[in-house]
Amino acid sequence: MLTIWTVVRFLHVLGAALWVGGQLTVSLVVLPLARRGLDAERRGSVLTAIGRRFGLLTVAFFLPVQIGTGIALAWRRGVTWESLLVPGYGRILAAKLALFAVVMLAAALHGAASSRGYPVLARVMAVTSLVTSVGVVALATALPVT
Amino acid sequence: MTSTDVRLEPPPRQPLPGGPPRRSSWHARANAVVLVWLALALAAAALGDPLALPRWLPVHLLLLGAVTNAAVTWSEHFAVALLRLPPPRPRWSGLRLAVLNTGVTAVLAGAVGGVPAVAVGGAVLVVGVAVGHTAVLAVRSRSALHGRFSYLARWYICSGAALAVGAALGAVLVSGSLPQVWQERLLAAHVHANLLGWVGLAVLGTLFTLWPTVLRTRIVEGTSAWARRSLPLAAVGLVGAVGALTAGIRWAAVVGLALYAAAAVLALVPLLRTARQRRPHSGASWTVAAGTGWFAIILAADVAVVATHPAHAVADALGTLLPPVLVGFVGQVLLGSLMFLLPVVLGGGPATVKRGTALVERWWLPRLIAVNAAVPLTVLPVPPWAETSAWALLLAGLTVSVALLAAAFLRSRGLTWHTPSPAVVGTALGAALSAVAIGVAGSGLGPATETEPVAATGGTRTVEVSLGNMTIDPGVVSVDIGEELVLRVRNDDVQAHDLYLDNGARTPMLDPGQSAVLEVGVVTGPMEGWCTVMGHRAAGMDMRVETGEGSDAGTDSAADGSVSGAESAHLDLSGEMSPDWRPYDAVLEPAPGGTEHEVEIRVEETELEVAPGVRQSMWTFNGSVPGPVLRGRVGDVFTVTFVNDGTMGHGIDFHAGSLAPDEPMRTIRPGERLTYRFRAEMAGAWLYHCSTAPMLQHLGNGMYGAVVVDPPDLEPVDREYLLVQGELYLGEPGGAEQVARMDAGEPDAWVFNGTAAGYDHAPLEAAAGERVRIWAVAAGPTSGTSLHVVGARFDTVYKEGAYRLRPGDDGGAQALDLAPAQGGFVETVFPEPGTYPFVDHDFRHGENGAHGLFEVTE
């Protein structure tokens, strides 16, 4: 049945799809092409611009939407702090939230490292954030069946 | 005697023409096996909870896998090197290693998989290797028995003998063939023989020479004398302790352990003097020293535990000492020794050995501090987060140690380590983080909810489960497919148990008296459950969850409507009642007005549904079991017209009346009638039944009912129910087979108001906060009842004409006990909404039909 909650859940899933999908697209499509087709200088400026834009979108759109809709969905389902420790739905949700926090931390470290000139750390953090957000999606898919 | 300089070089290489240095390569391989077991132990310790692995698995992966391999390999190595024996044939070493590891694998697989035969077979192999290895050492070292290091062979021989004893005890334990108290004592003996004997003696014996070598100093004067003096003391003490623990003689065990501890102190003297000569300076030396220090602490703690616990409680009490034993002592001695020895045996010239040593000793100080700071935190009463952090620190420190040793091994094989690309590091990091999160998410979650969707029926079945005496009670739980199963598990034993179901749901380890609610989830098919403590499953601690379709007899027999006695013993009480089944109305109506009551009771032979799907021909009063309820007040007169519409003679007997039985209780033939008139002069819940001999058969086939005479001061309550408990004998009424089971007192089921588990399918209703009065009469014919409502307490008990308890009294009651033909009532107020089972707490009866539910609403 289509209700307002359908819209909220839609926004939540859409946000996740855009963010994870965006990262995957950048890593699997844009970066290899940029490495092959652009000289070092332009590659640097393009990739920095992509990173800035993505970071801006993350802070301005993705994070508020995910956190807002996430809190709304949790409220609707009657999630409490105590219920987060209960095996099943609660514990999966708690693990997902913790992993999401790690993703955000890695993404922030990636931003900080690339702007301060630590390319290796930046790269490690970018890949960590990407792989971990796939883990978040995996946990999210486990949620409804419980 | 002068100080002696000892250097442990790679063992003499065999001059094999054209071949590689065989022995060195052999030792490297043998140590690689040790590293593999160590890594498995660490993985099992880290993943044990999410994967629901038994807790003893990491213990045995370390001790039986890694330590036993290391001890066999190294004791041979040192004996050969120090006693100047000819090296053993590689074929013998290889065979021994193969058999040992096959045995270890079989022990672990058999014990985890619950196949005791495989585990016992594996243990026999381990014992065989222990005996063979020790015998070969003994025979070969005879020529060297007068040499400088001859004590070494003796220590190893005693150590090997202890392994033979310890492993044999383990085999008996895992076979699960002993009574519990013996099981516990043997476990204590098993632990001591292996830890203090096999590991402890091998470690001490080795340290006499290894310790000075690790410190790169000379063996101090008098070492061999200390070694010779302390061994007999240690051996005698150990034999005494193990024997006394087996026999359950506490003081003798304490004396034995004290002797052993004294021997250990003697053995430590030369080690301390060596350390004074040259202080520990390397990672290897500090790690070995820390391990030895923990050994001393453990010995003291062990003496205290054995002195304060009876033998059968020792093993359980020692459970808290596991981290210091496994990590502090055994792990550190093993890893410290390997840090020194592995680069040496990997060989390749002084420069390579130095490089290898540098690799395995990398970050040794932080690792040493981490492990030794974390070990006490896992034992002391600290907040849970501190304990969890300590375990994480411990596992991290050990993992780094094992990884460095493995790296050194791989490097010697020509495999070098390249700095991985950022992408690989990031992927590994992300995957590890996700794996940890998924592990956390899955903990405590039964996969039953993840398998194919089964339409949940919405019903919940709650079963009380008791652990103890090497059994799980009940052994079989019947559930409908789609029903949610909740087990209220209580450990009624003197030792710790848990309950694990093969869908992944598990309770924590329960100490004696502890309880846990295990939410098994929606049942989709049959399941097995067991206690994961080593050997307990084999000893009989397993259970089965059966689903409606899985179990057989009851439903099948319903198909043709007839049941033949003995084959029908397994009624499927969780099956569905037929759609046309109507429960006997347990609601007890208030006494009608007036003081004269007339009732007609007709004998009828009726086919009734007496258990889910099971129909049985019954002898009844007015077509129901029990017969109609008569209710009145003290002084009321009951006039009963009794009509025999059956095919044989019957009579009737009202316990509530007082009269000469000759006429009113006489047997009348079919078609006859009689009038039975009695005055109820005494209050109570009374039985009436057929008065014709053999009454066993007439009651056993359903000819009983209840008369309720209110006590004068009976307060009105919100709800009143009446439960008449009886027995169910399937088969042809009065047939030889049925009568034989009546004579033996072996009913097929027990029933409340005529149907086994009937009120599971038609629960009685109440609301939270309402006062509910439950009248009960035990009709027998042979068994009484101990009526209990799970989750409720009775504040009123009226039994056999008197109050035992009234509201306002200090006490409370948990069960209404009634012998056959007794009656009474209890009152309770359900505290909150929920499903409250009521049972005959004699669980032979309760689990075989004398069971029902109260559905309590808001």
Side-chain angles (χ1 to χ4, degrees):
Chain A
M1 199 168 59
L2 289 172
T3 64
I4 182 70
W5 292 105
T6 318
V7 178
V8 174
R9 192 173 294 115
F10 167 72
L11 286 176
H12 195 76
V13 174
L14 182 68
L18 284 178
W19 202 70
V20 179
Q23 283 192 88
L24 281 170
T25 309
V26 169
S27 313
L28 300 180
V29 180
V30 178
L31 283 180
L33 287 178
R35 232 174 258 140
R36 208 178 308 154
L38 298 177
D39 59 68
E41 192 182 321
R42 290 179 67 192
R43 186 167 67 215
S45 63
V46 167
L47 292 183
T48 309
I50 290 176
R52 288 233 173 91
R53 179 69 61 86
F54 205 84
L56 192 68
L57 274 176
T58 301
V59 174
F61 172 74
F62 170 72
L63 269 183
V65 168
Q66 288 316 96
I67 293 175
T69 53
I71 289 174
L73 288 168
W75 171 78
R76 168 159 165 78
R77 208 177 189 283
V79 172
T80 61
W81 292 112
E82 294 79 42
S83 72
L84 284 180
L85 297 177
V86 176
Y89 187 93
R91 206 170 281 183
I92 295 178
L93 182 59
K96 183 188 146 203
L97 291 175
L99 205 58
F100 179 73
V102 171
V103 171
M104 287 298 119
L105 186 69
L109 277 174
H110 163 71
S114 31
S115 63
R116 284 183 202 157
Y118 299 101
V120 175
L121 178 63
R123 190 96 201 284
V124 168
M125 281 301 124
V127 180
T128 304
S129 156
L130 176 62
V131 175
T132 314
S133 39
V134 174
V136 174
V137 174
L139 283 170
T141 51
L143 274 176
V145 299
T146 57
Chain B
M1 194 193 251
T2 57
S3 299
T4 320
D5 203 355
V6 169
R7 279 191 196 290
L8 283 176
E9 298 302 340
R13 289 172 188 172
Q14 283 180 305
L16 287 172
R22 278 288 193 83
R23 289 306 297 176
S24 163
S25 146
W26 150 252
H27 270 86
R29 278 206 302 273
N31 281 295
V33 175
V34 175
L35 290 180
V36 168
W37 283 116
L38 270 176
L40 287 175
L42 280 172
L47 299 174
D49 262 351
L51 296 183
L53 295 172
R55 271 145 246 244
W56 51 261
L57 185 61
V59 177
H60 283 76
L61 282 170
L62 172 66
L63 294 178
L64 189 59
V67 172
T68 302
N69 267 291
V72 167
T73 304
W74 286 108
S75 60
E76 182 194 60
H77 170 88
F78 287 123
V80 165
L82 295 171
L83 304 180
R84 307 209 181 282
L85 302 176
R89 279 203 305 264
R91 187 171 292 172
W92 153 245
S93 303
L95 178 72
R96 191 191 52 196
L97 196 72
V99 175
L100 173 65
N101 285 290
T102 308
V104 172
T105 309
V107 168
L108 297 174
V112 173
V115 190
V118 172
V120 171
V124 169
L125 288 183
V126 174
V127 173
V129 170
V131 170
H133 171 72
T134 310
V136 168
L137 264 188
V139 170
R140 297 187 64 216
S141 64
R142 267 209 316 223
S143 57
L145 270 185
H146 303 291
R148 218 168 48 214
F149 299 109
S150 58
Y151 60 84
L152 189 68
R154 295 200 193 102
W155 280 85
Y156 286 155
I157 290 165
C158 289
S159 157
L163 173 62
V165 173
L169 287 168
V172 177
L173 282 170
V174 82
S175 74
S177 53
L178 289 170
Q180 186 184 350
V181 69
W182 279 98
Q183 189 94 358
E184 292 303 303
R185 284 190 205 160
L186 286 198
L187 182 57
H190 165 77
V191 167
H192 281 86
N194 283 328
L195 266 178
L196 301 188
W198 170 229
V199 181
L201 294 181
V203 164
L204 286 175
T206 305
L207 281 180
F208 291 122
T209 42
L210 182 63
W211 180 236
T213 315
V214 170
L215 290 180
R216 299 191 186 283
T217 183
R218 282 191 286 271
I219 292 184
V220 293
E221 215 171 298
T223 294
S224 69
W226 288 107
R228 286 204 177 84
R229 251 176 257 152
S230 50
L231 178 62
L233 201 57
V236 168
L238 188 67
V239 168
V242 170
L245 285 169
T246 310
I249 310 168
R250 194 193 297 188
W251 66 265
V254 175
V255 170
L257 285 177
L259 284 180
Y260 182 95
V265 169
L266 288 183
L268 286 177
V269 169
L271 304 183
L272 289 172
R273 286 172 53 189
T274 310
R276 277 225 317 256
Q277 189 170 287
R278 175 142 196 226
R279 293 193 28 191
H281 52 278
S282 62
S285 53
W286 273 113
T287 311
V288 170
T292 314
W294 278 110
F295 185 43
I297 295 172
I298 290 157
L299 272 180
D302 186 32
V303 173
V305 165
V306 174
T308 50
H309 290 77
H312 65 83
V314 163
D316 216 33
L318 287 177
T320 50
L321 285 178
L322 265 184
V325 171
L326 297 182
V327 182
F329 164 46
V330 179
Q332 292 203 102
V333 168
L334 181 61
L335 287 172
S337 308
L338 285 178
M339 277 161 80
F340 177 80
L341 292 168
L342 194 69
V344 175
V345 294
L346 290 177
T352 316
V353 171
K354 206 168 172 183
R355 225 158 58 93
T357 306
L359 176 60
V360 298
E361 296 226 333
R362 195 175 285 178
W363 314 302
W364 69 265
L365 188 59
R367 280 190 275 149
L368 184 77
I369 293 172
V371 168
N372 288 287
V375 164
L377 290 181
T378 60
V379 183
L380 297 172
V382 293
W385 64 264
E387 196 185 333
T388 311
S389 317
W391 274 109
L393 202 60
L394 209 57
L395 290 173
L398 296 175
T399 305
V400 171
S401 303
V402 174
L404 287 173
L405 288 167
F409 175 78
L410 291 177
R411 192 159 76 179
S412 77
R413 306 282 101 177
L415 298 164
T416 46
W417 174 259
H418 298 288
T419 310
S421 76
V424 171
V425 174
T427 308
L429 199 57
L433 287 167
S434 299
V436 169
I438 289 170
V440 170
S443 57
L445 173 70
T449 49
E450 291 163 20
T451 49
E452 54 173 317
V454 163
T457 57
T460 301
R461 187 166 171 78
T462 307
V463 179
E464 303 272 326
V465 175
S466 162
L467 309 176
N469 207 18
M470 287 299 153
T471 55
I472 297 176
D473 185 31
V476 180
V477 173
S478 297
V479 188
D480 286 340
I481 284 194
E483 214 172 4
E484 199 171 323
L485 180 62
V486 175
L487 301 178
R488 291 175 179 274
V489 184
R490 188 181 155 79
N491 181 3
D492 292 319
D493 207 353
V494 295
Q495 58 166 327
H497 296 292
D498 66 352
L499 178 59
Y500 171 75
L501 284 166
D502 60 6
N503 74 342
R506 74 183 303 168
T507 67
M509 191 60 70
L510 298 173
D511 285 330
Q514 273 190 338
S515 304
V517 176
L518 178 59
E519 290 175 3
V520 180
V522 175
V523 174
T524 58
M527 280 185 274
E528 301 274 325
W530 60 89
C531 171
T532 68
V533 176
M534 176 86 154
H536 287 192
R537 186 185 191 186
M541 292 197 71
D542 55 2
M543 69 179 297
R544 213 167 60 247
V545 177
E546 283 185 347
T547 51
E549 290 169 3
S551 52
D552 36 305
T555 32
D556 291 347
S557 55
D560 58 5
S562 67
V563 180
S564 71
E567 289 77 40
S568 59
H570 290 292
L571 291 173
D572 177 18
L573 297 177
S574 65
E576 285 306 315
M577 302 298 298
S578 307
D580 58 349
W581 172 74
R582 292 288 168 272
Y584 185 93
D585 192 358
V587 173
L588 183 61
E589 298 295 341
T595 56
E596 295 255 346
H597 309 284
E598 286 189 9
V599 62
E600 185 181 78
I601 294 181
R602 304 180 86 92
V603 172
E604 294 170 19
E605 285 159 20
T606 316
E607 199 177 80
L608 293 175
E609 190 167 1
V610 292
V614 179
R615 298 184 72 81
Q616 162 76 18
S617 182
M618 302 293 287
W619 300 345
T620 68
F621 294 129
N622 282 5
S624 66
V625 177
V629 183
L630 281 55
R631 189 172 194 186
R633 298 185 184 81
V634 174
D636 286 3
V637 173
F638 292 85
T639 305
V640 179
T641 306
F642 181 58
V643 184
N644 187 352
D645 282 345
T647 56
M648 70 174 92
H650 293 291
I652 198 162
D653 170 3
F654 286 92
H655 289 189
S658 175
L659 42 71
D662 312 28
E663 280 299 306
M665 295 190 198
R666 71 179 188 273
T667 296
I668 58 172
R669 284 180 298 183
E672 291 184 339
R673 62 171 56 208
L674 68 76
T675 301
Y676 187 115
R677 190 181 157 86
F678 68 93
R679 182 185 295 273
E681 286 165 331
M682 291 177 177
W686 301 90
L687 178 69
Y688 72 85
H689 60 89
C690 178
S691 62
T692 299
M695 275 175 251
L696 177 62
Q697 288 182 33
H698 289 252
L699 269 107
N701 277 306
M703 302 191 77
Y704 52 78
V707 176
V708 173
V709 182
D710 291 353
D713 57 351
L714 192 66
E715 294 286 339
V717 290
D718 299 298
R719 291 173 194 268
E720 277 186 285
Y721 290 109
L722 170 67
L723 301 173
V724 183
Q725 183 173 331
E727 295 163 3
L728 177 64
Y729 294 92
L730 299 176
E732 187 199 342
E737 205 275 321
Q738 191 208 38
V739 171
R741 269 176 300 121
M742 287 181 180
D743 285 337
E746 290 173 354
D748 295 290
W750 283 259
V751 296
F752 283 131
N753 293 349
T755 309
Y759 295 120
D760 282 357
H761 301 271
L764 306 183
E765 292 169 358
E770 284 185 334
R771 175 159 288 273
V772 178
R773 178 180 295 141
I774 306 161
W775 290 83
V777 172
T782 57
S783 47
T785 186
S786 171
L787 184 68
H788 171 72
V789 179
V790 180
R793 293 165 307 187
F794 305 138
D795 62 5
T796 309
V797 174
Y798 178 91
K799 180 191 160 188
E800 287 290 281
Y803 282 96
R804 292 289 182 83
L805 188 67
R806 289 179 188 258
D809 288 352
D810 288 331
Q814 54 206 308
L816 174 62
D817 61 318
L818 299 171
Q822 292 191 326
F825 68 79
V826 287
E827 292 178 14
T828 190
V829 176
F830 291 103
E832 55 186 341
T835 304
Y836 295 74
F838 59 89
V839 297
D840 179 348
H841 218 283
D842 181 336
F843 278 119
R844 291 170 300 171
H845 311 163
E847 281 151 22
N848 286 299
H851 190 283
L853 302 173
F854 272 107
E855 280 295 346
V856 178
T857 52
E858 285 281 348

